[in-house]
Amino acid sequence: MSGSDTAPFLSQADDTDDGLVPGTPGLPGAPGNPKSEDPEVPDREGLQRITGLSSGRSALIVAVLCYINLLNYMDRFTVAGVLPDIEQFFNIGDSSSGLIQTVFISSYMVLAPVFGYLGDRYNRKYLMCGGIAFWSLVTLGSSFIPRERFWLLLLTRGLVGVGEASYSTIAPTLIADLFVADQRSRMLSVFYFAIPVGSGLGYIAGSKVKDVAGDWHWALRVTPGLGVVAVLLLFLVVREPPRGAVERHLDSPPLNPTSWWADLRALARNLIFGLVTCLTGVLGVGLGVEVSRRLRRSNPRADPLVCAAGLLGSAPFLFLSLACARGSIVATYIFIFVGETLLSMNWAIVADILLYVVIPTRRSTAEAFQIVLSHLLGDAGSPYLIGLISDRLRRRWPPSFLSEFRALQFSLMLCAFVGALGGAAFLGTAIFIEGDRQRAHLHVQGLLREAGPADDRIVVPQRGRSTRVPVSSVLI
C-alpha cells in the first residue's frame, strides 16, 4: 500500500498501487471467497485492497470533502447575506447587485468543463488544492476593494468561479473511486447534505459577522481563513485512489482517458434527459409565472393554487414515465417532458411567496431556512432513501437485471406520491396566504405591532392595586 503522494502536480498517476493480484481474498470473483448477496460488489476488505486505503481513512476523506463542500456553499451565499450593504457601499442598484451572482455563475459554468477535462486526466487532489487556495486568496482580496471600483468586485467574483469549479466537478469522482453500490449512495448523500447547510450558514454568517464587526467587509474574510484549513486538510488527509478500480473486474485492463471529443460524443448519448430537464425547466418557470400573473387579477390565492396544480398535475405524468420505462422509451420521454414542465411551475412563485409574506428585515433568514428545509426534506436525503428502498426490494427477488430495474423503478415511483403531497400542502397554504401577506404588509407600513415579551402579561389586582404579571404565572 502506497504511503505517500508521489505524483507531480499534473500527473496522470494515482497515489495507490493499481496492480492487483487475481484471487485476492475479499475481491469480486476471487476464488475461495464466500459468495455474497451481490458477487460484483467488493466487501470492506476488498475495497481496502483495491484503493490502498482503510475504511476509516476513506470515511475521513469524505469528511474533509464534505467540509469543503460546506465551505463552498457558505462562500456562495455569504454575499447574499450582506447584499444590501454592498449596494449601499458601492452605490449600485438591484440590477448591478444581481450582476454579482450572474458573473460568478457564468464563470463557474464556463470553467466547469475545463476542470472536468483536467480532473479526468490529472491528479485531482492537487487540482483541488490549487483551486481552493486561489479561490480563498481572491475572496479575501475582494474584501479590500474601494467603493469606486465596483468593476473589480465583479472581476473577483468571476475568479471565485475558478476555485468552485475546480472542486465541485472533481470531489464527487473521488468518492466514486472510494466506494461502490449503497456505500457510495450513502456517502454521496452525506456529501450533498452540505449544500443546504452551507447555503443557510452562508446567509447567517454573512449577516451576523457584519453585525458583530460593524463592517460588511469582514463577512468576506471568514471563508478564506477556513479555506486555508481546507487546503491543509486536502494536502495532509486526502489521497488519490485509482480511477475506476472498485468497479472493474480483475481481468480487465486499467481505464485510460480518451480524447475530449470522444468524451463529449459519448456523453451526448447520455444527455437526452438533461436536455429535457433544461428545456422543461425554462418552459415550466415561464409558464408558472405567466399563469399566476394572469390569475392574480381575479384570485388573490393564485400563487399557491398554481403551485398546487403544477405538483398535482405532474405526479401522474412522472408515475407514467416510470411505468412505461421498459415498454416505450419515447412514451417515457413524453411523460417526463410534461411532468417536469408542470413540476417546474412553482420555482419562481415559491420565491415570490416567501418574499411577500416575510418582512424585509427577516427575508435573508427566511431564505436561509427555506433553503435548508427544502434540501433537508428533498435532495439531501432522498437519493439515499430511494437507494435504500431499492436495495430492500432487490433482496426479496432473485438476482437479475430485471429485478434491479424493477426495484429502482418501484422506489422512484415514491417521488410521484411525494409530489402529490406537496400539491396538497400548497392547497393548505392557499387558505392562509391572504392573511399572512396582509400582516406582513401592515407590519412594513407600521400599522401592525408585534407583541413583545412585555405584552405577554395581564393585569391582576394585588394588594389593592393593579400589577402586570406573566400569563404563565396566572395559569400555574
Side-chain angles (χ1 to χ4, degrees), residues 460-467:
V460 298
Q462 185 176 4
R463 295 182 180 178
R465 53 183 181 175
S466 299
T467 304

Side-chain angles (χ1 to χ4, degrees), residues 1 20-21 23-28 30-34 41-56 58 178-180 183 246 250:
M1 184 173 68
L20 301 175
V21 180
T24 302
L27 300 185
N33 188 42
V41 178
D43 57 18
R44 180 175 298 182
E45 181 184 356
L47 283 176
Q48 181 172 343
R49 292 180 182 276
I50 294 172
T51 63
L53 300 168
S54 66
S55 58
S58 298
L178 291 172
F179 302 94
V180 291
Q183 288 180 312
V246 296
L250 292 176

Side-chain angles (χ1 to χ4, degrees), residues 287-311 345-350 352-353 356-357 423 426-435 437:
L287 179 64
V289 171
E290 183 61 23
V291 170
S292 178
R293 185 181 68 84
R294 292 178 181 273
L295 288 180
R296 283 178 190 171
R297 301 169 184 170
S298 57
N299 190 339
R301 297 185 173 93
D303 286 350
L305 291 177
V306 170
C307 292
L311 285 173
M345 288 176 62
N346 68 80
W347 290 355
I349 302 176
V350 167
D352 193 21
I353 291 175
Y356 66 62
V357 299
F426 273 115
L427 290 177
T429 302
I431 300 174
F432 305 100
I433 190 73
E434 285 188 276
R437 177 164 44 190

Side-chain angles (χ1 to χ4, degrees), residues 141-406:
S142 67
S143 67
F144 296 98
I145 296 175
R147 65 178 67 245
E148 64 274 7
R149 296 287 189 270
F150 175 67
W151 64 269
L152 192 55
L153 178 66
L154 293 178
L155 176 62
T156 56
R157 292 309 295 175
L159 293 176
V160 166
V162 175
E164 296 217 14
S166 70
Y167 179 78
S168 298
T169 57
I170 294 175
T173 69
L174 282 174
I175 298 177
D177 287 333
L178 291 172
F179 302 94
V180 291
D182 59 336
Q183 288 180 312
R184 178 188 294 173
S185 300
R186 189 178 301 114
M187 292 300 174
L188 285 174
S189 67
V190 174
F191 175 79
Y192 284 111
F193 186 76
I195 294 179
V197 178
S199 302
L201 287 177
Y203 272 113
I204 296 171
S207 58
K208 294 303 179 184
V209 170
K210 182 261 297 184
D211 292 339
V212 172
D215 185 355
W216 68 268
H217 293 86
W218 283 99
L220 301 183
R221 296 166 188 167
V222 174
T223 51
L226 299 175
V228 174
V229 177
V231 173
L232 291 175
L233 289 174
L234 270 176
F235 188 78
L236 297 175
V237 175
V238 175
R239 287 177 53 206
E240 179 94 353
R243 287 177 173 87
V246 296
E247 297 172 276
R248 66 175 183 260
H249 295 284
L250 292 176
D251 55 353
S252 61
L255 297 175
N256 294 314
T258 55
S259 69
W260 197 48
W261 289 113
D263 293 345
L264 292 180
R265 285 195 299 269
L267 290 173
R269 292 192 290 269
N270 299 328
L271 287 176
I272 297 176
F273 180 78
L275 293 175
V276 170
T277 300
C278 291
L279 181 59
T280 55
V282 173
L283 290 176
V285 170
L287 179 64
V289 171
E290 183 61 23
V291 170
S292 178
R293 185 181 68 84
R294 292 178 181 273
L295 288 180
R296 283 178 190 171
R297 301 169 184 170
S298 57
N299 190 339
R301 297 185 173 93
D303 286 350
L305 291 177
V306 170
C307 292
L311 285 173
L312 291 173
S314 68
F317 286 101
L318 295 178
F319 180 87
L320 289 173
S321 69
L322 292 167
C324 297
R326 187 164 176 251
S328 173
I329 191 65
V330 175
T332 296
Y333 278 120
I334 291 175
F335 287 132
I336 288 176
F337 185 89
V338 178
E340 287 199 340
T341 300
L342 294 172
L343 186 66
S344 303
M345 288 176 62
N346 68 80
W347 290 355
I349 302 176
V350 167
D352 193 21
I353 291 175
L354 180 70
L355 293 176
Y356 66 62
V357 299
V358 177
I359 62 176
T361 55
R362 296 172 182 163
R363 284 175 180 167
S364 291
T365 302
E367 288 280 0
F369 277 102
Q370 192 268 340
I371 290 171
V372 171
L373 290 175
S374 62
H375 287 287
L376 180 65
L377 299 176
D379 54 0
S382 58
Y384 173 67
L385 178 60
I386 295 297
L388 184 64
I389 295 174
S390 177
D391 287 342
R392 294 290 176 87
L393 291 175
R394 285 174 59 188
R395 294 193 185 106
R396 297 173 178 268
W397 299 331
S400 67
F401 286 112
L402 180 60
S403 65
E404 293 179 11
F405 172 81
R406 289 296 191 193

